[in-house]
Amino acid sequence: MAGSRRLHRRAGQPDAGPLGADIASFRLHLAAEGKAARTVQGYTGAVRWFAAGYLLRQAGKTSWEQVSGQDIEQWMTQLLDRYSSAYASIQFRALRQFFKWRAAEEELPDPMNRLRAPRVAVPDVPVFTSVELSALAKACHGNSFAARRDAAIIAVFTATGIRLAELAGIRYHPGDPARTDLDLHAREIRIAGKGGKPRTVRIGHQAARSLDRYLRARARHPQAWRPQLWLGVNSRGPLTATGIYQIVVRRGRQCGVIAYPHRFRHHFSHTWLDRGGAERDLMELNGWTSPQMLTRYGASACGARARRSYDRIMDDST
């Protein structure tokens, strides 16, 4: 790629010049619709980067009215040359929201009306084997605070497949049902999903027992008054999502298993479908609103599920 076309993912906010005013209005629109702050930042950041990284480098492109579908396609080509198809698709969808809003706001044609998002190559995320899960459980064996906490983290991820941010956001306040997300007797956890959308997930008896063991250790922690469920060792405060991620990876390394939070989400989805669970129920449990997510997460080990279905359906022993 020529030097004038090199892409730079700058830290902070790139200067969109005369195109920045509409981006600011778009931000207000998203906020008024109740979009999460992270979503607003992602959408507006994508539009600002397109303006600064492409449009302002084109001769005569000083207003949004001058943007054509060809401009979008060329920008996608540049992104695909440097980044993954998944990243380019995210940028495309953010731009689509912007131009859709602008077309309705200004009663102008939408340059992205006939464009399709880049096809995303779905990575093959391997599900855990029973041996790997057993090894992870053994890696967390012990009565120390860290061992009980880490065992509970692994158990909840395995039982629910919830997102890392959702697990990190679980609240705990014993004796006050309105301020705690745990109900071990019902084996339920209240989750704050994407955009703050609440849902309730179920856990098995083993996960409930692991959580109970952790809560008994947590009650003796100097920071036990904190509303966050997961606490650090040596009197440290609540764990961040990054801290939880590092714990899972570290426990995996101890037993020779490649482990990270999102792998549990794929494993949970595969296990649910493999055992005949309803797809609509999986969407509810995983907090999905689009059926496309079933295809994405169900891709893990789909061949193995198909072969087992064959043995069940095409049994010729009778």
Side-chain angles (χ1 to χ4, degrees), residues 203-216:
I203 59 174
H205 293 284
Q206 293 299 327
R209 184 171 67 175
S210 293
L211 276 168
D212 180 66
R213 294 187 78 237
Y214 166 62
L215 291 179
R216 281 184 273 128

Side-chain angles (χ1 to χ4, degrees), residues 5-82:
R5 292 289 184 88
R6 290 188 64 188
L7 304 183
H8 298 278
R9 296 182 63 182
R10 306 175 187 173
Q13 294 292 329
D15 184 8
L19 302 173
D22 278 7
I23 300 175
S25 296
F26 181 51
R27 176 182 290 275
L28 290 175
H29 162 73
L30 293 173
E33 283 199 333
K35 301 294 186 187
R38 187 175 179 180
T39 300
V40 174
Q41 182 179 0
Y43 281 7
T44 56
V47 179
R48 188 176 294 277
W49 191 29
F50 171 59
Y54 177 82
L55 286 181
L56 296 181
R57 299 184 182 189
Q58 310 303 308
K61 298 285 186 179
T62 58
S63 69
W64 292 110
E65 288 81 358
Q66 296 171 302
V67 177
S68 66
Q70 187 177 12
D71 288 319
I72 304 296
E73 290 175 333
Q74 290 179 355
W75 177 237
M76 289 300 111
T77 299
Q78 293 187 39
L79 291 180
L80 288 168
D81 187 50
R82 291 287 304 275

Side-chain angles (χ1 to χ4, degrees), residues 16-245:
L19 302 173
D22 278 7
I23 300 175
S25 296
F26 181 51
R27 176 182 290 275
L28 290 175
H29 162 73
L30 293 173
E33 283 199 333
K35 301 294 186 187
R38 187 175 179 180
T39 300
V40 174
Q41 182 179 0
Y43 281 7
T44 56
V47 179
R48 188 176 294 277
W49 191 29
F50 171 59
Y54 177 82
L55 286 181
L56 296 181
R57 299 184 182 189
Q58 310 303 308
K61 298 285 186 179
T62 58
S63 69
W64 292 110
E65 288 81 358
Q66 296 171 302
V67 177
S68 66
Q70 187 177 12
D71 288 319
I72 304 296
E73 290 175 333
Q74 290 179 355
W75 177 237
M76 289 300 111
T77 299
Q78 293 187 39
L79 291 180
L80 288 168
D81 187 50
R82 291 287 304 275
Y83 307 109
S84 69
S85 58
Y87 181 78
S89 180
I90 291 172
Q91 298 297 301
F92 179 93
R93 296 180 190 282
L95 290 174
R96 169 164 281 170
Q97 292 299 317
F98 171 74
F99 284 108
K100 182 179 179 180
W101 161 78
R102 198 173 182 283
E105 194 75 9
E106 304 295 337
E107 297 183 351
L108 294 171
D110 183 350
M112 298 186 67
N113 190 38
R114 296 178 180 272
L115 301 183
R116 293 185 178 181
R119 177 173 292 187
V120 177
V122 179
D124 183 15
V125 180
V127 298
F128 291 107
T129 66
S130 59
V131 174
E132 288 177 324
L133 289 177
S134 178
L136 282 171
K138 290 179 180 178
C140 302
H141 182 72
N143 292 321
S144 68
F145 177 85
R148 290 192 177 191
R149 179 200 61 194
D150 298 355
I153 288 173
I154 297 295
V156 173
F157 270 138
T158 304
T160 64
I162 59 177
R163 301 177 179 95
L164 172 60
E166 293 172 342
L167 183 131
I170 297 175
R171 303 171 304 159
Y172 178 68
H173 194 286
D176 189 348
R179 297 169 60 192
T180 189
D181 295 324
L182 292 181
D183 187 340
L184 294 187
H185 294 289
R187 292 185 288 111
E188 292 180 346
I189 305 177
R190 187 166 56 231
I191 299 297
K194 281 189 174 181
K197 183 179 179 181
R199 73 180 189 280
T200 300
V201 299
R202 200 75 178 267
I203 59 174
H205 293 284
Q206 293 299 327
R209 184 171 67 175
S210 293
L211 276 168
D212 180 66
R213 294 187 78 237
Y214 166 62
L215 291 179
R216 281 184 273 128
R218 186 187 185 280
R220 300 187 293 271
H221 194 284
Q223 302 282 336
W225 56 271
R226 297 273 195 174
Q228 293 89 350
L229 174 62
W230 309 108
L231 301 176
V233 297
N234 299 327
S235 303
R236 294 174 182 168
L239 292 176
T240 63
T242 300
I244 294 173
Y245 185 98

